[in-house]
Amino acid sequence: MSKVMRYNAGDYQVVVIGAGHAGVEAALASARMGVKTLMLTINLDTIAFMPCNPSIGGPAKGVVVREIDALGGEMGRNADLTYIQMRMLNTGKGPAVQALRAQSDKRLYSYAMKQRLENQENLVLKQDMVDEILTSNGQVTGVVTRTGAVYTAKAVVLTTGTYLRGKVFMGDVSYESGPNGQVPAVKLSYSLLDLGFDLVRFKTGTPPRINRNTVDFSKLLEQPGDEIPLHFSFDENVAAREQVSCWLTNTNATGHSLILSNLDRAPMYSGQIQGTGPRYCPSIEDKVVRFKERPSHQVFLEPEGKDTAEWYVQGLSTSLPEDVQIRLLRTIPGLENVEMMRPGYAIEYDALVPTQLWPSLESKLVQGLFTAGQINGTSGYEEAAGQGIMAGINAALQVKGQPPVVLSRSDAYIGVMVDDLVTKGTNEPYRLLTSRAEYRLLLRHDNADLRLMEIGHQVGLLPTKRYDRLMKKREGISQEIARLKRVRVRPEMANPVLEQAGSPPIQEAMSLEQLLRRPEVSYGDIQAIEGQMDAEVPSEVAEQVEIQTKYSGYIQKQEQEIERQRRLEQKRIPVELDFTQVRGLSMEAREKLTKVRPQTVGQASRIPGVSPADISILLIALEHSRGQVVNE
């Protein structure tokens, strides 16, 4: 085979490899910050493609979409432009776990994002496969594509998804492939190995797609969208869209028996698949084996778009043989005569061990090389996009000679995710859950703009108009909370409304803020007490006033915890510190600290295997070393 001739194809400041959900956010962030950016993708027709479920958001994930929007990213706005159903989840629970979830028009989402990229200033979009990362003296210098094109760059963002040495499994059939029949990237894996990176094999899967015209909907339970218009973006005047229902059904004993009798043909159980799969999104064969006592499992039928009959069978991810899949589908109520348009499959791929990254998502081995998305061991479009925008921001900042932006665990779910990855690593595809965030009462769906828009504005991603609107909202919240504390009402004014709300009457004058703290009293009730139902308080201000007032005690406690943790985060660990020479540290702590190389004592305290006693010893060692520096 003849050697491909290399040639200089262009000079850029940042090159983004991959155009999935991480790649598009990274490229847009970099370009919008005024940095000359190149995006390279294997296929221009699969930009921001959804190879798995056609949805955006959900518990924790929906909050991430709002955080991306607050920083100046695109996922939320694109979801608002292309959704076919929108629902608020967990409305019966507190605000800490509420989140939006949208069914997206799969093709329209991809097409709209491609348009956004094509028309973005400072961004060039090209179709080609990257085979090699170029470096010099530990610094990234560019990339080489399979056609021999050499693109120089000061920073490179790697967002390869599940393409690295991708291999598809379906029963006895297996072949090299990216998702949805795309070409896999093979040589790039070997380039990373040559640079000294540790790679692992992970696995994910997808369910069959069916033809809606062959479904008996009379046997299914309808799941409509919310009637009240909802949207991810904090932009004004987001237009509501016509909605399409999803439908619910269940597996049964007949289908479970079919699965169990064909486990010898399932790659997960026959030993063909070596990669580790996601614990929180198991295949149907895994669910049936692990939960044999359950008579059924829920199955959601989700449309992939308004202009297609192809529907997604959520809950039936599988790598069983194609003939078993169609038989399994036809055991499900409502699907007795269904036609399968695409079979499900499992895909195995290379991922980077994420403890090889700094919290900025820059690699520790090669300066200027950033990674984001499933290459870092995560699963999910939202997790990928959240990493993508941070990698893009920090690549652009590095080019500009400015320090990186690192979100803390108290700033954002994105901060929780990145800290988990670079500090703890992951031995399976990582998924964001509300339970991973210790400060989740502060990291809510409703306040992402208050938490992050200032950062987005500072780095140059958030337009001044949106930032000014945030300042107006923040001022409105502050003024209204102060007013509620100041205004007191007499029993004869409050009690009729309190009685209607099911709240005990008051015997003496009380402030409106005290009344709003009652669980059964809403902000609308406060307006009724004042006789100001037509008062012009924006709904977004009223929402924050009510939440901040009702949960003020809990919020204050979390803020106190954050302040204690912040003291540890402010204690920096010198890069040159040799942990093996710190007396008193356990052997495990020395090993883990040397591997992760935490930048702060706070980060060190979260490394598995590093005990509180180890942290105390580390603090003493740092004080001693600082004293030596002062004395010298």
Side-chain angles (χ1 to χ4, degrees):
M1 186 175 178
S2 59
K3 188 175 181 180
V4 176
M5 183 70 69
R6 295 185 177 185
Y7 70 99
N8 185 3
D11 303 317
Y12 294 86
Q13 291 173 295
V14 171
V15 170
V16 177
I17 302 171
H21 301 278
V24 296
E25 296 294 348
L28 287 170
S30 174
R32 287 169 176 170
M33 290 170 67
V35 171
K36 186 180 178 184
T37 305
L38 170 67
M39 169 177 266
L40 293 167
T41 178
I42 292 174
N43 188 346
L44 286 172
D45 297 325
T46 55
I47 286 172
F49 189 65
M50 298 179 179
C52 200
N53 57 319
S55 69
I56 298 292
K61 294 167 176 278
V63 183
V64 169
V65 181
R66 298 276 276 183
E67 291 175 350
I68 292 166
D69 185 76
L71 289 167
E74 201 61 34
M75 177 173 265
R77 288 196 288 181
N78 205 54
D80 290 342
L81 283 171
T82 61
Y83 75 84
I84 54 179
Q85 188 191 97
M86 187 81 76
R87 296 176 67 191
M88 180 68 80
L89 306 181
N90 298 326
T91 53
K93 300 179 181 179
V97 294
Q98 292 179 10
L100 276 176
R101 185 179 189 270
Q103 283 299 130
S104 293
D105 188 309
K106 186 172 182 173
R107 299 288 177 186
L108 187 57
Y109 186 95
S110 175
Y111 177 74
M113 193 68 86
K114 183 172 185 278
Q115 278 191 314
R116 185 72 70 179
L117 292 165
E118 290 171 338
N119 294 297
Q120 176 61 51
E121 187 180 0
N122 299 318
L123 179 59
V124 175
L125 187 59
K126 291 180 181 290
Q127 179 170 293
D128 206 346
M129 180 187 290
V130 173
D131 280 352
E132 185 180 349
I133 306 293
L134 297 176
T135 64
S136 177
N137 299 318
Q139 166 73 47
V140 74
T141 58
V143 302
V144 183
T145 73
R146 62 180 170 183
T147 62
V150 176
Y151 297 98
T152 62
K154 295 180 180 178
V156 171
V157 184
L158 200 54
T159 66
T160 52
T162 60
Y163 281 80
L164 287 182
R165 288 197 294 180
K167 190 174 184 179
V168 162
F169 296 87
M170 189 196 311
D172 302 323
V173 178
S174 64
Y175 51 90
E176 289 188 347
S177 176
N180 208 47
Q182 297 299 308
V183 179
V186 177
K187 290 185 178 180
L188 189 52
S189 275
Y190 294 110
S191 177
L192 291 171
L193 290 169
D194 288 342
L195 290 171
F197 286 99
D198 291 332
L199 302 180
V200 293
R201 292 291 278 179
F202 277 171
K203 183 228 50 150
T204 190
T206 190
R209 271 63 161 186
I210 59 173
N211 189 319
R212 75 172 309 279
N213 297 320
T214 59
V215 175
D216 182 355
F217 287 95
S218 68
K219 298 181 179 180
L220 309 181
L221 181 64
E222 188 173 7
Q223 302 281 300
D226 287 352
E227 293 182 6
I228 300 172
L230 300 167
H231 49 87
F232 283 107
S233 179
F234 289 98
D235 273 352
E236 293 182 277
N237 305 319
V238 178
R241 290 172 54 80
E242 183 184 350
Q243 301 203 61
V244 179
S245 289
C246 297
W247 298 80
L248 174 65
T249 182
N250 293 276
T251 62
N252 52 42
T254 303
H256 295 185
S257 177
L258 178 66
I259 291 169
L260 293 171
S261 63
N262 282 278
L263 283 182
D264 60 320
R265 301 178 66 196
M268 280 185 60
Y269 292 92
S270 64
Q272 291 184 66
I273 293 178
Q274 301 298 317
T276 305
R279 185 192 324 176
Y280 300 103
C281 188
S283 66
I284 185 62
E285 49 264 42
D286 199 24
K287 285 191 281 190
V288 169
V289 169
R290 285 166 54 190
F291 307 106
K292 288 184 179 179
E293 73 284 357
R294 292 192 57 176
S296 66
H297 295 278
Q298 286 190 330
V299 174
F300 290 91
L301 303 186
E302 302 174 342
E304 296 217 329
K306 277 192 173 181
D307 300 322
T308 178
E310 193 171 359
W311 281 45
Y312 182 88
V313 188
Q314 170 80 341
L316 215 70
S317 176
T318 184
S319 58
L320 286 164
E322 187 172 358
D323 64 293
V324 178
Q325 290 188 39
I326 185 62
R327 287 159 59 200
L328 173 61
L329 283 168
R330 290 175 178 170
T331 66
I332 297 172
L335 307 185
E336 291 88 351
N337 298 303
V338 79
E339 289 294 340
M340 183 171 70
M341 297 178 72
R342 304 183 202 225
Y345 61 86
I347 184 168
E348 202 175 61
Y349 57 95
D350 285 344
L352 199 74
V353 176
T355 51
Q356 297 169 103
L357 305 174
W358 297 114
S360 63
L361 295 179
E362 182 184 18
S363 76
K364 296 173 181 175
L365 277 69
V366 178
Q367 187 176 352
L369 178 61
F370 296 78
T371 62
Q374 284 180 280
I375 189 174
N376 288 345
T378 58
S379 66
Y381 311 140
E382 303 83 1
E383 288 92 337
Q387 293 170 71
I389 193 169
M390 297 313 301
I393 287 171
N394 288 329
L397 288 174
Q398 186 175 99
V399 167
K400 293 180 174 185
Q402 297 174 14
V405 170
V406 176
L407 300 178
S408 73
R409 299 182 71 89
S410 58
D411 287 330
Y413 269 98
I414 295 174
V416 172
M417 168 178 59
V418 172
D419 183 67
D420 279 349
L421 292 171
V422 304
T423 303
K424 304 174 184 177
T426 182
N427 56 11
E428 63 184 9
Y430 175 98
R431 179 180 180 180
L432 260 175
L433 306 165
T434 52
S435 59
R436 294 192 191 274
E438 57 269 49
Y439 309 121
R440 55 186 171 274
L441 184 55
L442 300 181
L443 307 183
R444 304 185 308 273
H445 156 93
D446 59 85
N447 70 350
D449 55 341
L450 297 170
R451 292 185 278 118
L452 298 175
M453 273 190 175
E454 193 159 346
I455 295 172
H457 184 63
Q458 287 173 353
V459 299
L461 280 184
L462 198 75
T464 300
K465 182 180 178 182
R466 292 186 73 191
Y467 182 69
D468 289 344
R469 183 166 172 257
L470 169 73
M471 292 296 99
K472 184 179 178 181
K473 175 181 175 179
R474 184 170 281 165
E475 183 181 0
I477 295 166
S478 178
Q479 288 178 350
E480 182 62 2
I481 289 176
R483 189 187 74 81
L484 294 182
K485 289 180 178 179
R486 186 175 66 250
V487 176
R488 298 174 67 83
V489 292
R490 296 186 303 275
E492 59 266 27
M493 292 177 63
N495 286 343
V497 177
L498 294 177
E499 183 181 359
Q500 268 196 329
S503 188
I506 59 175
Q507 305 302 320
E508 56 186 27
M510 191 174 286
S511 74
L512 294 173
E513 189 256 359
Q514 287 176 297
L515 292 176
L516 187 55
R517 285 189 181 187
R518 295 185 174 191
E520 61 276 355
V521 176
S522 70
Y523 183 79
D525 293 328
I526 296 299
Q527 288 183 309
I529 290 170
E530 293 187 282
Q532 296 182 1
M533 292 303 291
D534 297 325
E536 293 185 3
V537 177
S539 59
E540 59 181 9
V541 170
E543 178 186 46
Q544 286 304 307
V545 168
E546 183 165 345
I547 291 173
Q548 291 184 28
T549 300
K550 287 190 182 301
Y551 294 92
S552 59
Y554 298 103
I555 290 172
Q556 189 175 6
K557 285 180 181 178
Q558 288 210 343
E559 287 174 342
Q560 290 170 352
E561 292 173 17
I562 289 167
E563 186 54 40
R564 285 194 292 270
Q565 185 64 27
R566 188 173 287 129
R567 296 191 194 106
L568 292 179
E569 299 295 345
Q570 289 172 345
K571 294 183 183 297
R572 308 282 303 178
I573 299 175
V575 176
E576 66 276 7
L577 180 65
D578 184 354
F579 294 105
T580 64
Q581 299 303 309
V582 178
R583 293 181 181 177
L585 284 178
S586 67
M587 289 299 294
E588 184 179 9
R590 291 180 183 183
E591 179 186 330
K592 296 290 182 64
L593 290 166
T594 301
K595 180 181 179 182
V596 176
R597 291 160 62 194
Q599 295 180 311
T600 68
V601 175
Q603 186 186 2
S605 70
R606 294 187 294 276
I607 299 173
V610 177
S611 69
D614 293 318
I615 294 301
S616 298
I617 291 166
L618 181 59
L619 284 168
I620 294 169
L622 289 173
E623 288 301 320
H624 180 66
S625 65
R626 288 192 181 99
Q628 284 185 328
V629 170
V630 171
N631 292 333
E632 289 171 2

